[in-house]
């Protein structure tokens, strides 16, 4: 049994999950970012025939993650579909699996840059931003208001470490005391290095920590 | 040769370097085109593996043509040829086109190919021996099968250096349903004159730097007219070059040549060689092939030769005249390499070659070729299949496998048939497969080829300014390229050796890496992944033979003889058909060392599989390290005792059954398989190549192949690309075939010695423990200290 990490943010203890999801016990809410459903078919339209298994793999992971928490509410942090037509390309089986989930949990879809509209044929409601207690949830990290505490996605944070001559890479959560950026959940989503320009100016480096997703557990590092 | 050419017969011409092969290949063409003629397409295609070589050959050919005022046009077509000229070549083709395998493939993918090739008379393939053993050769052989369709009467001539098995090349050149092409043997040259450097210094136990020999190498360079100093890796090249430069009291013009340096820099060195302005060039395999660059009269080979054929090829670089012996000196950089050098010297004296078989049946290459054919125009599946099986490399391709590959190209080949509506190839009313969109042809051209390099970044000279406390770095001249992997490990301010200078890393920008000149003399040394060759099977066998046969030790330096004598006293010298396994305690651990002599790749796989077994049997293995010759595993449990008590049986430990479930289980997680899969996915056109330095836009984002690999393995384990990746890994990265041969060879032939301490033979591989990919002088001092300690232990028995 690996240890349960906690991310302290806005006076709450948030529980990062090995899958890349984040559980907020206080509000019985599971937050999931960047599912990128139907990424395979999206690429296939342009002649890049990556295996059409991404939606199935992502849903497997989603279902197994949900079964390990006591969540009542589910918040998708945007880019739930890889493109605006993604929902229409879902096959019947995947559609019904998703409906089961949205029927069981109170579901909120934050819209992202890939999916500008919330899904039409699934349960739940759409939103641009959501206030969850002291937390502001949105897809893209924004210029925050004073005292605002933010959870965002969009950037697909990832990191690489050199250990004994080997390079180990993985997705990660990254947070300081006022902002947390979540890793992408989708099966084919990779990681963007937290050292890249996109992350510049978002975090107070002194306070920043990362939780890297390993094979069987999370690993916490200071920056 | 002329006879075969005039009779319009295909042939294989084998001749050592300097035999005038190239001209012999062209002679029938020149005779044929001597009279004024009408040009209606390409008459002769000349295919060379190296771009630079193609340009040189064109130059060398133009001279006699102009002199004799022959009405023959010669042009080159390489990756550097501007688009406008390629366009023109299509409308107004030259008589003779000199090109590379990749450009050849692009030509047959062009809709005008049939028209351009219709009067093709001859195809000449240079350095055939070096092409056939790679995927480039597999792709080329498919392109040739297409040429045969366009020009059924064309003859195919292969030019090759001496090889162990010419029959394979003869068959490679002929259509699969016809007899092999005839063999023409050029006259053999004078046998080479090879010495092993007799050093007054101590040959080190381990390492690859050969620093001990620098003064002696320098003395030899001074005596020679021009020397080529060959090394095996780019980091060795940097090291040796810098050390020679430090020793260069006479200010001799010594240059450096390796694949990471900027092309313009390399061309400058080649030009200076051609003008005989240099005294020596330190180089890697970049100068293995090619035409004469100046009057080289000495080849110095630093480090292990790795294979007999490679050594002969390199030695052939000295003195391109048949009647004179090439002069070469081998410089072993450690004691095992002394054995390898001696074995290679003996093999080279007999002109004995390594056997390298042509690579065949690569499914990813097949997929790429099918796409190329689709780009050239619509086709019937039956026709294409019948054409492809005329290629030697695909003569055993079943229709079922071909259909799978075709299905893969069209829709990805997934059991779900999810992508039918996004198909790249569609059946038209006539029943022909047709490209679904012209854009696909453009993308094919951007991504074709079989060479997948690790991602490289340009290194530029940076100027750093501090203005009002703000540090700005701007990039200047391009110095060359380095693996992204290596650069990602550097922190700003770290120093490394590159292009013979110590550079300071200044950071990355959108174009690549920035570095400034540093003044320190103790750089971190770049650890390039590229340029490592495995010890050839043939040479390995000879090394084992040399070790086992005391009568041959007389050629070895005294210190190496003493080392082996101590070994035979302290432990044992195995017979040539045996494998020695030693177990001994050291500090708080227990070591097991075995000596397969099968090269690092196969032995690493062995190490991986043995540790899984030892773990299961309770030996608590902690890690392993392999050299080219030996493998060491260290454990917490007393392995000697466990063997004695029968808790570990060495026969069972090394049983061939490890290649079953254990291998399967390990490979599932192995990064090597993922790397192998990435290469196949790129060659087969599943994902697009990354173009380094080019910022990816959202539309270009490629999916991480590791993630695709995982999804495929769990959902469609029999997919074409997984099969291709496994096949490649078994040949290359994990070298299963060689490992399997080893396990078979040592069955009932394991010689075990339970020792009380480190054995002399094990010292070199023990010193490899803890050597990481980056090491500087401080680490070396530690290693030297550790080395001396180990040596004292090993010799205290005497």
């Amino acid at each position: 049994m690996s240890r349960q990490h906690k991310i302290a943010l806005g006076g709450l203890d948030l529980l990062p999950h090995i899958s890349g999801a984040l559980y907020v016990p206080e509000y019985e809410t599971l937050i999931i970012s960047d599912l990128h459903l139907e990424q395979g078919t999206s690429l296939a339209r342009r002649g890049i025939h990556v295996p059409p298994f991404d939606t199935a793999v992502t849903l497997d992971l989603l279902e197994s993650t949900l079964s390990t928490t006591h969540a009542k509410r589910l918040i998708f942090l945007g880019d739930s579909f890889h493109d605006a037509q993604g929902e229409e390309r879902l096959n019947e089986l995947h559609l019904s699996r998703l409906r089961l989930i949205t029927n069981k949990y109170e579901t909120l879809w934050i819209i992202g840059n890939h999916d500008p509209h919330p899904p039409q044929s699934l349960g739940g409601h759409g939103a641009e931003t959501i206030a969850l207690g002291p937390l502001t949830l949105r897809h893209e990290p924004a210029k925050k208001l004073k005292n605002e505490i933010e959870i965002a996605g969009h950037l697909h944070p990832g990191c690489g470490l050199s250990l004994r001559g080997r390079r180990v890479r993985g997705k990660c959560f990254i947070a300081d005391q006022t902002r947390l950026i979540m890793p992408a959940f989708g099966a084919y989503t990779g990681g963007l290095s937290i050292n890249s320009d996109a992350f510049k100016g978002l975090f107070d480096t002194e306070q920043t920590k990362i939780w890297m997703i390993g094979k069987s557990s999370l690993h916490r590092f200071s920056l | 040769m002329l006879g075969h050419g005039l009779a319009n017969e295909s042939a294989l011409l084998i001749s050592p370097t300097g035999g005038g092969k190239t001209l012999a290949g062209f002679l029938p063409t020149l005779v044929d085109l001597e009279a004024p003629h009408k040009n209606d397409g390409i008459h002769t295609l000349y295919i060379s593996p190296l771009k630079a070589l193609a340009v040189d050959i064109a130059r060398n050919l133009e001279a006699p043509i102009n002199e004799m005022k022959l009405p023959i046009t010669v042009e080159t077509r390489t990756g550097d040829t501007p688009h406008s000229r390629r366009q023109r070549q299509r409308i107004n083709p030259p008589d003779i086109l000199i090109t590379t395998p990749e450009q050849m493939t692009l030509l047959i993918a062009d809709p005008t190919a049939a028209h351009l090739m219709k009067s093709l008379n001859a195809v000449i393939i240079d350095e055939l021996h070096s092409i056939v053993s790679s995927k480039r050769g597999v792709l080329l052989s498919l392109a040739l099968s297409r040429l045969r369709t366009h020009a059924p009467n064309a003859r195919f001539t292969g030019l090759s250096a001496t090889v162990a098995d010419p029959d394979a090349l003869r068959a490679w050149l002929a259509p699969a349903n016809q007899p092999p092409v005839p063999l023409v043997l050029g006259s053999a040259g004078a046998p080479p004159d090879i010495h092993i450097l007799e050093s007054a210094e101590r040959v080190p136990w381990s390492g690859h730097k050969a620093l001990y020999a620098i003064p002696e190498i320098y003395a030899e360079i001074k005596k020679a007219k021009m020397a080529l100093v060959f090394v095996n890796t780019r980091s060795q090249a940097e090291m040796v070059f810098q050390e020679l430069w430090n020793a260069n009291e006479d200010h001799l013009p010594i240059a450096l040549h390796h694949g990471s340096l900027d092309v313009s820099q390399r061309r400058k060195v080649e030009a200076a060689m051609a003008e005989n302005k240099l005294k020596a060039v330190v180089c890697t395999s970049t100068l293995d092939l090619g035409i004469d660059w100046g009057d080289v009269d000495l080849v110095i080979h630093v480090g292990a030769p790795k294979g007999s054929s490679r050594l002969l090829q390199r030695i052939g670089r000295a003195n391109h005249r048949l009647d004179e012996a090439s002069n070469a000196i081998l410089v072993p950089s450690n004691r095992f390499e002394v054995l390898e050098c001696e074995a290679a010297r003996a093999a080279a004296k007999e002109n004995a070659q390594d056997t390298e078989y042509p690579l065949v049946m690569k499914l990813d290459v097949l997929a790429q070729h099918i796409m190329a054919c689709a780009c050239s125009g619509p086709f019937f599946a039956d026709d294409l299949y019948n054409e492809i099986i005329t290629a030697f490399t695909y003569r055993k391709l079943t229709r079922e496998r071909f259909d799978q590959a075709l299905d893969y190209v069209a829709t990805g080949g997934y059991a779900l048939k999810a992508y039918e509506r996004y198909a790249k190839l569609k059946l038209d009313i006539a029943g022909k497969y047709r490209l679904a969109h012209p854009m696909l042809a453009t993308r094919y051209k951007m991504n074709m080829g079989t060479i997948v390099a690790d991602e490289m970044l340009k290194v530029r000279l940076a100027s750093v300014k501090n203005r009002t406390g703000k540090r700005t770095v701007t990039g200047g001249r391009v110095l060359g390229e380095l693996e992204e992997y290596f650069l990602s490990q550097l922190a700003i301010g770290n120093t490394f050796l590159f292009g013979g200078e110590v550079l300071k890393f200044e950071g990355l920008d959108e174009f690549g890496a920035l570095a400034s000149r540093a003044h320190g003399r103790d750089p971190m040394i770049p650890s390039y992944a590229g340029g490592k060759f495995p010890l050839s099977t043939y040479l390995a066998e000879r090394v084992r033979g040399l070790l086992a046969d005391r009568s041959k030790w007389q050629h070895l330096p005294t210190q190496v003889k003493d080392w082996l004598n101590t070994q035979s006293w302290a432990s044992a010298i195995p017979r040539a058909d045996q494998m020695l396994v030693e177990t001994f305690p050291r500090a708080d651990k227990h070591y097991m060392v075995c000596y397969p002599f099968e090269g690092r790749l196969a032995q690493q796989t062995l190490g991986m599989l043995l540790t899984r077994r030892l773990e299961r049997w309770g030996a608590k293995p902690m890690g392993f390290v392999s050299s080219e010759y030996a493998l060491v595993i260290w454990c917490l449990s007393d392995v000697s005792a466990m063997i004695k008590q029968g808790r570990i049986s060495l026969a069972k430990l090394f049983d061939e059954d490890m290649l079953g479930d254990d291998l399967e289980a390990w490979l599932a997680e192995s990064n090597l398989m993922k790397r192998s899969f990435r290469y196949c996915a790129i060659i087969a056109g599943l994902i697009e190549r990354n173009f380094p330095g080019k910022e990816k836009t959202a539309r270009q984002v490629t999916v991480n192949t590791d993630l695709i690999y995982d999804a495929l393995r769990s959902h469609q384990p029999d997919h074409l690309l997984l099969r291709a990746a496994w096949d490649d890994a078994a040949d290359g990265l994990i070298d299963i075939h060689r490992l399997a041969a080893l396990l078979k060879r040592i069955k009932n032939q394991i010689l075990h010695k339970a020792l009380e301490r480190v054995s002399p033979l094990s010292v070199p591989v023990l010193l490899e423990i803890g050597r990481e990919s980056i090491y500087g002088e401080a680490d070396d001092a530690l290693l030297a200290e550790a080395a001396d300690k180990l040596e004292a232990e090993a010799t205290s028995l005497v």
Side-chain angles (χ1 to χ4, degrees), chain A:
Chain A
M1 190 64 202
S2 57
R3 80 175 250 246
Q4 175 64 60
H5 287 271
K6 283 181 187 151
I7 304 178
L9 195 70
L12 300 172
D13 278 338
L14 314 178
L15 310 180
H17 192 266
I18 179 98
S19 66
L22 182 74
Y23 186 58
V24 190
E26 200 91 2
Y27 298 93
E28 297 178 310
T29 298
L30 188 72
I31 307 175
I32 286 173
S33 189
D34 296 88
L35 284 175
H36 285 264
L37 294 170
E38 293 300 308
Q39 183 169 3
T41 49
S42 184
L43 292 167
R45 290 190 304 178
R46 292 170 24 227
I48 299 168
H49 294 154
V50 296
F53 310 123
D54 55 315
T55 299
V57 174
T58 306
L59 288 180
D60 290 348
L61 186 62
L62 179 60
E63 286 162 355
S64 70
T65 306
L66 281 166
S67 71
T68 62
T69 69
H70 304 287
K72 297 222 160 57
R73 188 190 289 131
L74 187 54
I75 299 178
F76 293 112
L77 217 48
D79 285 0
S80 303
F81 288 90
H82 193 68
D83 61 63
Q85 292 80 42
E87 188 193 350
E88 297 156 30
R89 294 195 308 270
L90 279 175
N91 68 30
E92 281 304 317
L93 175 68
H94 296 152
L95 197 63
S96 60
R97 280 172 79 179
L98 272 167
R99 278 203 188 115
L100 271 180
I101 292 169
T102 56
N103 289 345
K104 183 169 173 194
Y105 302 92
E106 178 196 347
T107 306
L108 295 164
W109 303 90
I110 289 179
I111 59 174
N113 51 316
H114 281 255
D115 51 352
H117 310 289
Q120 304 297 304
S121 49
L122 297 167
H125 299 282
E128 293 244 2
T129 58
I130 291 172
L132 186 71
L135 309 170
T136 302
L137 275 48
R138 57 168 67 93
H139 179 61
E140 280 187 51
K143 197 164 192 168
K144 293 177 297 187
L145 299 169
K146 209 176 165 209
N147 299 329
E148 195 175 60
I149 293 171
E150 180 189 78
I151 297 181
H154 181 61
L155 293 176
H156 303 201
C159 55
L161 296 168
S162 292
L163 306 164
R164 293 178 51 91
R166 288 247 300 270
R167 189 90 180 146
V168 185
R169 287 174 207 262
K171 298 178 184 181
C172 64
F173 295 85
I174 176 169
D176 61 10
Q177 286 171 334
T178 63
R179 172 178 276 142
L180 186 165
I181 298 183
M182 292 189 43
F185 192 88
Y188 289 171
T189 55
L192 175 68
S193 168
I194 52 168
N195 294 321
S196 68
D197 284 352
F199 289 88
K200 257 184 201 147
L202 289 177
F203 293 97
D204 170 3
T205 34
E206 293 276 296
Q207 306 290 336
T208 310
K209 293 202 166 42
I210 58 171
W211 288 261
M212 186 173 170
I213 299 179
K215 272 213 174 74
S216 53
S217 53
L218 291 164
H219 310 276
R220 193 181 77 163
F221 302 96
S222 294
L223 215 59

Side-chain angles (χ1 to χ4, degrees), chain B residues 621-671:
Chain B
M622 300 299 290
F624 71 89
V625 157
S626 174
S627 69
E628 288 279 272
Y629 320 100
L631 169 72
V632 54
I633 301 176
W634 54 99
C635 306
L636 290 182
S637 303
D638 185 343
V639 190
S640 297
M642 289 178 82
I643 294 172
K644 203 172 160 200
Q645 297 153 7
R647 286 163 62 202
I648 289 178
S649 145
L650 285 176
K652 269 195 194 153
L653 184 63
F654 285 91
D655 193 281
E656 290 167 83
D657 63 9
M658 76 170 75
L659 298 178
D661 294 349
D662 275 340
L663 178 67
E664 202 59 38
W666 166 56
L667 278 183
E669 293 294 310
S670 163
N671 284 323

Side-chain angles (χ1 to χ4, degrees), chain B residues 142-339:
Chain B
L142 287 170
L144 298 189
S145 73
R146 175 121 288 213
L147 281 184
R148 281 195 200 99
T149 304
H150 293 323
N153 295 321
R155 70 190 151 82
F156 292 78
T157 306
L159 311 178
S160 167
T162 316
V163 289
D165 182 18
D167 290 350
L169 295 188
R170 292 172 55 210
W172 194 95
L173 280 168
N177 49 8
Q178 283 172 36
V181 305
L183 174 66
V184 180
L185 280 177
S187 51
D193 199 356
I194 309 173
H195 301 279
I196 295 176
L197 184 79
E198 293 261 354
S199 181
E201 302 292 321
R202 205 186 65 153
V203 183
W205 290 91
S206 163
H208 299 281
K209 293 187 187 163
L211 296 189
Y212 76 96
I214 291 292
E216 283 146 326
I217 294 173
Y218 183 72
E220 293 292 343
I221 290 174
K222 234 164 112 174
K223 277 191 278 177
K225 243 190 292 178
M226 178 158 46
L228 283 182
V229 183
F230 275 107
V231 296
N232 286 322
T233 65
R234 283 172 279 170
S235 60
Q236 270 175 314
E238 292 281 1
M239 273 307 300
V240 169
F241 177 71
Q242 202 193 32
E243 291 303 322
L244 281 176
W245 202 248
N246 290 342
N248 193 356
E249 292 161 354
D250 309 275
H251 304 287
L252 302 180
I254 299 175
L256 179 64
H257 193 286
H258 65 65
S260 268
L261 297 175
D262 194 50
V263 183
S264 65
Q265 235 168 310
R266 274 185 271 160
R267 295 295 166 264
K268 256 187 234 163
V269 173
E270 287 158 19
M273 278 175 77
E275 291 161 31
N276 290 320
K277 281 184 182 159
L278 294 177
K279 195 76 180 155
V281 182
V282 180
C283 56
T284 61
S285 55
T286 47
L287 288 186
D288 274 7
L289 302 175
I291 59 147
D292 293 332
W293 278 298
D295 298 333
V296 177
D297 62 342
L298 174 67
V299 163
I300 299 174
H301 196 287
V302 179
K306 304 289 180 194
S308 170
S309 297
R310 176 177 300 283
L311 182 65
L312 282 166
Q313 175 105 28
R314 288 181 162 181
I315 289 173
R317 310 306 301 149
N319 207 346
H320 262 211
R321 290 188 47 188
L322 272 181
D323 48 344
E324 284 171 33
S326 306
N327 217 343
I329 298 171
L330 307 183
V331 184
S333 51
N334 60 53
R335 291 185 184 191
F336 267 114
E337 284 184 2
V338 173
L339 299 181

Side-chain angles (χ1 to χ4, degrees), chain B residues 210-486:
Chain B
L211 296 189
Y212 76 96
I214 291 292
E216 283 146 326
I217 294 173
Y218 183 72
E220 293 292 343
I221 290 174
K222 234 164 112 174
K223 277 191 278 177
K225 243 190 292 178
M226 178 158 46
L228 283 182
V229 183
F230 275 107
V231 296
N232 286 322
T233 65
R234 283 172 279 170
S235 60
Q236 270 175 314
E238 292 281 1
M239 273 307 300
V240 169
F241 177 71
Q242 202 193 32
E243 291 303 322
L244 281 176
W245 202 248
N246 290 342
N248 193 356
E249 292 161 354
D250 309 275
H251 304 287
L252 302 180
I254 299 175
L256 179 64
H257 193 286
H258 65 65
S260 268
L261 297 175
D262 194 50
V263 183
S264 65
Q265 235 168 310
R266 274 185 271 160
R267 295 295 166 264
K268 256 187 234 163
V269 173
E270 287 158 19
M273 278 175 77
E275 291 161 31
N276 290 320
K277 281 184 182 159
L278 294 177
K279 195 76 180 155
V281 182
V282 180
C283 56
T284 61
S285 55
T286 47
L287 288 186
D288 274 7
L289 302 175
I291 59 147
D292 293 332
W293 278 298
D295 298 333
V296 177
D297 62 342
L298 174 67
V299 163
I300 299 174
H301 196 287
V302 179
K306 304 289 180 194
S308 170
S309 297
R310 176 177 300 283
L311 182 65
L312 282 166
Q313 175 105 28
R314 288 181 162 181
I315 289 173
R317 310 306 301 149
N319 207 346
H320 262 211
R321 290 188 47 188
L322 272 181
D323 48 344
E324 284 171 33
S326 306
N327 217 343
I329 298 171
L330 307 183
V331 184
S333 51
N334 60 53
R335 291 185 184 191
F336 267 114
E337 284 184 2
V338 173
L339 299 181
E340 194 180 318
C341 284
E342 177 52 35
R345 191 188 66 83
K349 227 170 107 185
E350 297 163 22
N351 200 21
Q353 309 282 338
D354 307 305
T355 312
E356 242 190 309
Y357 291 102
L359 221 50
V360 296
M361 276 279 253
K362 294 295 173 189
L363 295 172
D364 50 345
V365 177
L366 176 63
Q368 194 185 99
H369 177 70
I370 292 174
M371 193 62 191
C373 293
C375 291
S376 74
F379 62 85
F380 287 112
D382 287 353
D383 292 351
L384 186 57
Y385 173 70
N386 288 330
E387 180 183 289
I388 284 172
I389 55 169
T390 66
F392 170 81
T393 45
Y394 289 87
R395 65 196 188 286
K396 292 182 182 157
L397 178 71
T398 61
R399 181 60 194 252
E400 190 196 353
R401 194 67 87 220
F402 169 79
D403 287 337
Q404 281 172 7
L406 183 57
D407 181 38
Y408 161 80
V409 175
T411 65
Y414 302 108
L416 286 178
K417 298 282 166 209
Y419 296 156
E420 298 275 273
R421 62 193 146 144
Y422 313 123
K424 287 198 265 192
L425 304 183
K426 291 191 165 154
L427 270 178
D428 64 15
I429 324 160
K432 283 184 167 183
Y433 282 89
R434 189 179 283 276
L435 217 54
H437 195 285
M439 170 202 85
L440 292 166
T442 315
R443 208 165 62 209
Y444 158 79
K445 284 179 199 158
M446 297 280 291
N447 290 284
M448 62 81 58
T450 56
I451 299 170
V452 183
D454 286 320
E455 262 188 74
M456 303 289 279
L457 290 179
K458 284 215 155 53
V459 180
R460 288 181 309 142
L461 199 59
S463 61
V464 183
K465 286 193 185 95
N466 280 307
R467 260 193 219 119
T468 61
K470 215 180 155 211
R471 188 171 168 276
T472 53
V473 186
T474 39
R477 190 162 66 83
V478 175
L479 298 170
E481 289 185 328
L482 268 174
E483 274 90 1
E484 190 246 337
Y485 169 80
F486 171 69

Side-chain angles (χ1 to χ4, degrees), chain B residues 9 107 182 192 206 222 227 229 233 259 431 435 491 507 544 606 611 621 653 684 686 702 783-784:
Chain B
E9 276 176 355
L107 269 176
S206 163
K222 234 164 112 174
V229 183
T233 65
L435 217 54
R544 285 197 304 270
L606 178 65
T611 36
L653 184 63
L686 180 70
T702 51
L783 281 169

